[in-house]
């Protein structure tokens, strides 16, 4: 079992920055795919970014603005978000996949999810 707890959401103005964190407990997640997804009101959950080993993958809408990273010693995943835009407003979820093969952009391939943290970007 893996427990994931997100933190760091809040209210920020457009153009600002924020960093989300996801603390993992129960298993060492360095070998897993660890990712961020988000869900805006009235929309489906969408892929944001994933880190698998040393490789990172991003959705086109956040590439160049968001950076995913992990601290194996702390078993913590981060999402640094810069140049935030109102359309980034959503609940952000941390997720972990224990599968040997994973389609990193597919939420159904992730086995564990955090409770989510709200990000609101004002214009």
């Amino acid at each position: 079992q893996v427990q994931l707890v997100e933190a760091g959401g809040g209210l920020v103005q457009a153009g600002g920055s924020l960093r989300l964190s996801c603390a993992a407990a129960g298993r060492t997640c360095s070998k897993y795919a660890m990712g961020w997804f988000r869900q805006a009101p009235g929309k489906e959950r969408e892929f944001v970014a994933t880190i698998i080993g040393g490789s990172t993958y991003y959705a086109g809408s956040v590439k160049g603005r968001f950076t995913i990273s992990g601290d194996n010693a702390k078993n913590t995943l981060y999402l640094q978000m810069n140049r935030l835009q109102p359309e980034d407003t959503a609940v952000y979820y941390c997720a972990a996949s224990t599968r040997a093969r994973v389609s990193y952009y597919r939420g159904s391939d992730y086995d564990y999810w955090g409770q989510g943290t709200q990000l609101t970007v004002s214009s």
Side-chain angles (χ1 to χ4, degrees):
Q1 289 289 330
V2 177
Q3 295 81 43
L4 303 173
V5 179
E6 303 99 333
L11 175 64
V12 63
Q13 288 188 333
S17 299
L18 206 64
R19 188 177 77 161
L20 304 181
S21 63
C22 171
R27 280 186 182 179
T28 300
C29 294
S30 61
K31 297 182 180 179
Y32 301 159
M34 297 288 297
W36 291 95
F37 289 75
R38 67 186 181 185
Q39 187 167 21
K43 295 187 177 181
E44 293 187 353
R45 181 180 62 195
E46 65 174 0
F47 166 74
V48 175
T50 287
I51 185 166
I52 305 175
S55 299
T56 57
Y57 305 89
Y58 296 93
S61 59
V62 306
K63 197 170 185 179
R65 299 189 298 123
F66 291 11
T67 302
I68 188 172
S69 62
D71 185 331
N72 292 334
K74 296 182 179 179
N75 224 19
T76 300
L77 182 73
Y78 300 100
L79 185 68
Q80 177 66 43
M81 305 180 291
N82 299 326
R83 304 200 312 271
L84 284 162
Q85 303 166 4
E87 48 266 39
D88 295 317
T89 295
V91 176
Y92 283 72
Y93 297 92
C94 173
S97 175
T98 59
R99 305 182 189 197
R101 300 183 69 178
V102 58
S103 295
Y104 60 84
Y105 54 87
R106 187 178 298 158
S108 57
D109 278 13
Y110 290 77
D111 308 295
Y112 301 98
W113 293 82
Q115 82 288 352
T117 185
Q118 175 71 47
L119 168 67
T120 302
V121 184
S122 63
S123 58

